[in-house]
Amino acid sequence: MAHPRLLIIYTGGTLGMCPGDQGLTPSGNIESRLAKAFNQLPLLQQQALPSFEVLSYPQLIDSSSATPDNWSQLAHDIAKRLSDYQGFVVIHGTDTLSWTAASLAYQLQGIDRPVILTGSMQPLEAPGSDALDNLYWALRCAEQPHVKEVAIYFHGKLLRGVRATKQHSEAVDAFTSPNYPLLGERMGDHVVHYPGRGLADQQRGAPRFELPDYTSVSDGAIVRLALWPGITAWQLASWLEDPRVKGGILQLWGAGNLPDDPALFAVLAKASGEGKMLAAISQCPQGSVHLGAYAAGKGLLDAGVLSGDDMTPEAAFGKLVHLLAQPIPEEDRRRRFLSSLVGER
């Protein structure tokens, strides 16, 4: 009997939840539940279903509880099973699915086979659920050898994992890729892959996995600050001057603007001078920051703040976590942040 080609890793999330006394909760017995669900597919789809095995985590989580330690565990589990499977599908809750996808992309750099994350807005057994359709097509994408990166399949769309973000809290079309085109789309009984958009077309070479220990950055070492009108220097300092903070993502207005307040820039310069890695992205879902394009943002460069270009919050945050977890010189960290490692910018 041939070895299963794919591995499904079940981490929890809405797809596998069942009703409980306190509402929907992560539930087990996923293998038999998937078998029952797949038997409900049309015969042609059942025949096209690739062979797979299931790895179910003993502690299932609602993805709102996910941490960098969970990202690290998942990357290690994929890396140590790489030679056993042609592709991987990760069942994950939607709330932080794109955060996990971004982190996996940095940890599994140069991966030579598909890692497809998916989930659903409704549980597997719920009437009219999107779970079975998402999972079936994620498996179909995971058997495609020309997909050589971490991606998300959701509601007919295949997106680069490190470019995706969740855009809707209720709709089944929950994910978008605001600054990068889709890798592929479902059309009829196939997923059409667009040439030139995948990492396999853009980067060459053997896998160069980086699997650092994320423990040092798992306890709030990286902060995320979105500006608001009236923000003051003492408010910014209350975050950045904490000795436990090692880095931060600043979500600025427009193309990289913040109030023209010397005290704010002084706080940023002090933190950066202490070796804290600060990066700026836009609060706008689409477009890039251009630090220095406006007088109100020019002081950021002088303060040592790095440009996050057009990265999503997930991509920028995950990149800081990944770089700050590694024992490399600060100059290398800053250079690598400003470079595109996995097509994230």
Side-chain angles (χ1 to χ4, degrees), residues 172-197:
V172 292
D173 188 12
F175 287 86
T176 187
S177 180
N179 289 314
Y180 194 79
L182 299 179
L183 300 180
E185 287 183 271
R186 178 188 171 188
M187 294 185 181
D189 293 329
H190 302 279
V191 173
V192 175
H193 298 266
Y194 297 115
R197 297 182 183 178

Side-chain angles (χ1 to χ4, degrees), residues 8 10 12-19 24-41 49 52 54 91-92 94 118-137 139 154:
I8 295 176
Y10 173 49
T14 298
L15 186 147
M17 288 186 177
C18 291
L24 291 172
T25 56
S27 302
N29 199 27
I30 193 67
E31 195 162 1
S32 62
R33 293 166 62 197
L34 290 180
K36 182 178 179 181
F38 286 137
N39 283 335
Q40 299 170 13
L41 289 170
L49 191 68
F52 63 85
V54 178
I91 298 175
H92 196 287
T94 60
T118 195
S120 63
M121 303 303 287
Q122 295 291 329
L124 184 63
E125 290 87 0
S129 172
D130 56 332
L132 181 57
D133 191 69
N134 282 345
L135 185 55
Y136 171 79
W137 287 103
L139 286 164
F154 213 92

Side-chain angles (χ1 to χ4, degrees), residues 30-343:
I30 193 67
E31 195 162 1
S32 62
R33 293 166 62 197
L34 290 180
K36 182 178 179 181
F38 286 137
N39 283 335
Q40 299 170 13
L41 289 170
L43 182 59
L44 288 178
Q45 288 192 345
Q46 292 187 43
Q47 293 172 342
L49 191 68
S51 59
F52 63 85
E53 289 182 339
V54 178
L55 169 63
S56 180
Y57 280 172
Q59 285 190 306
L60 303 172
I61 62 169
D62 183 312
S63 75
S64 60
S65 300
T67 68
D69 284 335
N70 297 123
W71 303 342
S72 178
Q73 177 189 359
L74 190 52
H76 278 81
D77 286 340
I78 292 171
K80 69 184 179 183
R81 294 170 172 82
L82 194 69
S83 61
D84 295 330
Y85 300 97
Q86 297 175 19
F88 298 84
V89 169
V90 178
I91 298 175
H92 196 287
T94 60
D95 282 346
T96 61
L97 188 150
S98 54
W99 296 79
T100 297
S103 178
L104 289 180
Y106 296 126
Q107 295 181 80
L108 303 175
Q109 292 180 46
I111 192 163
D112 60 357
R113 60 203 67 196
V115 176
I116 312 295
L117 285 83
T118 195
S120 63
M121 303 303 287
Q122 295 291 329
L124 184 63
E125 290 87 0
S129 172
D130 56 332
L132 181 57
D133 191 69
N134 282 345
L135 185 55
Y136 171 79
W137 287 103
L139 286 164
R140 292 288 302 273
C141 290
E143 67 173 342
Q144 301 300 319
H146 55 275
V147 178
K148 298 181 179 180
E149 61 184 290
V150 178
I152 293 171
Y153 180 88
F154 213 92
H155 192 63
K157 299 186 293 189
L158 185 66
L159 310 96
R160 172 164 294 163
V162 78
R163 285 287 195 163
T165 191
K166 187 178 179 182
Q167 69 171 349
H168 206 294
S169 65
E170 298 173 327
V172 292
D173 188 12
F175 287 86
T176 187
S177 180
N179 289 314
Y180 194 79
L182 299 179
L183 300 180
E185 287 183 271
R186 178 188 171 188
M187 294 185 181
D189 293 329
H190 302 279
V191 173
V192 175
H193 298 266
Y194 297 115
R197 297 182 183 178
L199 283 182
D201 302 315
Q202 302 164 6
Q203 300 180 358
R204 301 295 179 185
R208 50 192 182 280
F209 291 178
E210 295 178 358
L211 301 169
D213 184 354
Y214 278 1
T215 303
S216 63
V217 289
S218 290
D219 193 22
I222 318 298
V223 297
R224 175 187 177 189
L225 297 167
L227 296 191
W228 62 90
I231 186 173
T232 63
W234 74 261
Q235 290 171 316
L236 189 62
S238 68
W239 287 83
L240 296 183
E241 290 183 359
D242 190 304
R244 294 168 294 185
V245 171
K246 298 180 180 180
I249 298 297
L250 308 173
Q251 287 189 255
L252 308 180
W253 292 306
N257 299 319
L258 78 169
D260 188 13
D261 179 355
L264 286 173
F265 293 110
V267 172
L268 296 174
K270 181 175 183 288
S272 183
E274 293 171 349
K276 298 181 180 183
M277 196 168 173
L278 305 178
I281 59 174
S282 178
Q283 292 189 24
C284 300
Q286 289 183 279
S288 303
V289 293
H290 302 283
L291 302 188
Y294 292 85
K298 185 178 183 304
L300 291 165
L301 293 174
D302 296 334
V305 177
L306 300 169
S307 171
D309 196 23
D310 62 350
M311 282 194 285
T312 62
E314 296 94 321
F317 185 91
K319 195 170 187 178
L320 277 194
V321 167
H322 187 69
L323 294 175
L324 287 166
Q326 300 184 61
I328 57 178
E330 181 182 350
E331 182 180 341
D332 287 349
R333 285 197 187 102
R334 294 175 68 87
R335 175 186 55 81
R336 295 191 69 201
F337 187 87
L338 293 171
S339 303
S340 178
L341 302 180
V342 286

